[in-house]
Amino acid sequence: MTTDTDTGTRSTASAPAGLLDALEAYEAALMANDLDALDDAFVDTPGTMRGDDRGLLVGHDAISAFRGARGGVPSRRLSRVEVRTLADDLALVVTVSTFAAGGDGLQTQLWRRTDGTWRIEAAHVTGRPKPFDTTIWRAVGDPLVAPTGSGPLDGTTVAVKDLYAVPGHPVGAGNPTYLRESAPQTVPAAAVAALLDAGAAIRGIARTDEFAYNLTGRNEHHGTPPNGVVRTALPGGSSSGSASAVCLGMADIGLGTDTAGSVRIPASYQGLWGLRTTHDAVPRDGLLPLAPSFDTVGWLTRDPELLVRSLDASAPDDSAPDDDAAPEVVVVTDLLEAAEPATQDAFRAFIGDDVPTTTLADLGIPPLEELRETMRLVQAAEATAAHGPWIAAHPGALSTVVGDRFAAAAANPPGPTAEAVARLAALRTTIRAAAQGRVLVFPTAPGPAPALTADTDALERTRTATTAMTSLASVGGLPAVSAPALTVDGAPVGVSLVGAARTDRALVRTAERMLRG
C-alpha cells in the first residue's frame, strides 16, 4: 500500500513492527547529530558497511569515526520511503531525502532486528548533487583556463594549488580573509604558464592548508579534502586539494609546492606519485612564498610517466649530464628507523636484502634532529618575514592550529634562529656532496595518514616525526620522489628516493624501475 503523508510518499505496508519507528529515530538523530544514538543505530560488528561517493567504510568503528568528523547533516525530510521485507528480521529500506536548501538524496539501507531492536547493517548514501566539492576546489571550470599551446601535456587537466597566480583569479592561500583582499591575477605563475604552454588545461584552483604551513590537509575554514584511498584518514598537506583531486580522478596533474614535504606527504598518504624538484630548478615567479630557502615546485600524478612529462614541460633543461655509471641506490638506516615499526617491516619486505645500507654519519651528514631543527627555525623565520605583517594586521583571521604555528614561529629566540640561518648553506653543501652518485632510499612518512579524528597534540607529534624524515631533501635542496610502494595496515605509505641536484628525471625513472621489480 502507498500513502501520502505530511512527510511524503510511503510504501510501507510490509514494514515489520518497529522498523518505521527505528527509521524515524535514526532520522531524528541525524538532524540532531546525536553521535551516541547514531552509533547505536548501526549493527556493532566489523562487517557493518556504509558507502557513498567518497568511498566504502567497513566496520562499526570506521563508520563511527567518520560520523565524529563529519559535523552533521543539513536539514532534510524523508519525502519517500519504500520498505521490502526480506525475512522475519531483515528488511530493505530505500528513502528519498528532500533538503531544506534544495535537492534530493537517496539512501538504501539493510536493516536487521536483533534482540528486538532494528539496526542498520549496510547503507549506501547518494547525496544531493553538488556543483563541485568545496573541500577540494576553490574554483573549478570545464576548463577554468584553456591551454595556451600544444605539447607533451595535450589533453591533461591540472589542479592548481591556491598559492599560484592563475589569470583572472585571486590567490587565496587557504584563508578567506586573504582571498577577499586579493586582486585577480593578470599573469600566470611561471609553473602554471609552463603547463598551459605544454597543452594542459587548468581544471580548477585547489584548496591548500593556510599559507602552506601545515602537513595534515585539515582546514577550519573550508573543511578537509577527502583522502581518496582511506576514507577515515586525513589527506595530507599542504597540497591537499591538488592531491585529492588527482587521487579521485578529478584532475590528471596536481600542481603543488613542497617546502617541508607538502607534495611528498599527501602523495604518501593517498598512494600517488609526488615529485619535489631540485630547489630553483623550476621558477617560482607568481608563487606565494612560505620559506624561499626551501620552497619548490612539485607535482602529484597517478603514474610516473605523467610526472616526467610535467617535468619536461616545466624544466626542460634541468638534468645534470648523464654519468656513465648508474647511481648507487642505498637505504639510509637513520631515516628507516625514524618510521613506525610496521612501516619499517613493510619497507624491508619491499626493498629486499640486496640493497646496501648506510647511515647519515657514514655520509658525513649531521643527525636528523639537527636537520629538522635547522629547517624548522629557518622556515619559521622566513614564514614570519613573508606573512607576519599581514597576520599582525588581521588578528583572528587564521585558524587556531596555523595561527598558533605562526605565533610560535615569531616567538623563536633570535640566537638559535641566527645560528640555523648561518649553518644552512654549509649543511646544504654537505648533503649535496653526499648525494653525488647516490640515490638515498627510505619511507616517505613515519606511517599511514592519521585519522580524521586525531587531536591536535597527536598531529603535532606526527608533524615532528614527519619533518625529521622530510628534512634531508628540504635542507639539501635536493629532488625527492615519493612512489606508492608500501601498504601498511591496509593504507598506502610512500617510498622516498632522494638524488643529487638536477637528477629529477633519473630519480623518477629509478623509482619506476624499483616498483616494477
Side-chain angles (χ1 to χ4, degrees), residues 405-438:
R405 183 162 296 129
F406 269 107
N412 281 334
T417 297
E419 291 170 3
V421 171
R423 68 174 174 262
L424 176 60
L427 276 176
R428 180 159 292 180
T429 299
T430 297
I431 294 170
R432 288 191 167 202
Q436 284 296 321
R438 296 186 176 96

Side-chain angles (χ1 to χ4, degrees), residues 213 376 380 383-384 388 391 398-413:
Y213 208 7
R376 183 186 73 82
T384 300
I391 292 168
L398 295 177
S399 65
T400 300
V401 169
V402 176
D404 288 349
R405 183 162 296 129
F406 269 107
N412 281 334

Side-chain angles (χ1 to χ4, degrees), residues 95-116:
T95 61
V96 176
S97 299
T98 297
F99 289 83
D104 289 342
L106 182 71
Q107 297 77 234
T108 302
Q109 300 162 335
L110 184 67
W111 288 76
R112 182 178 293 279
R113 180 166 52 192
T114 54
D115 299 326

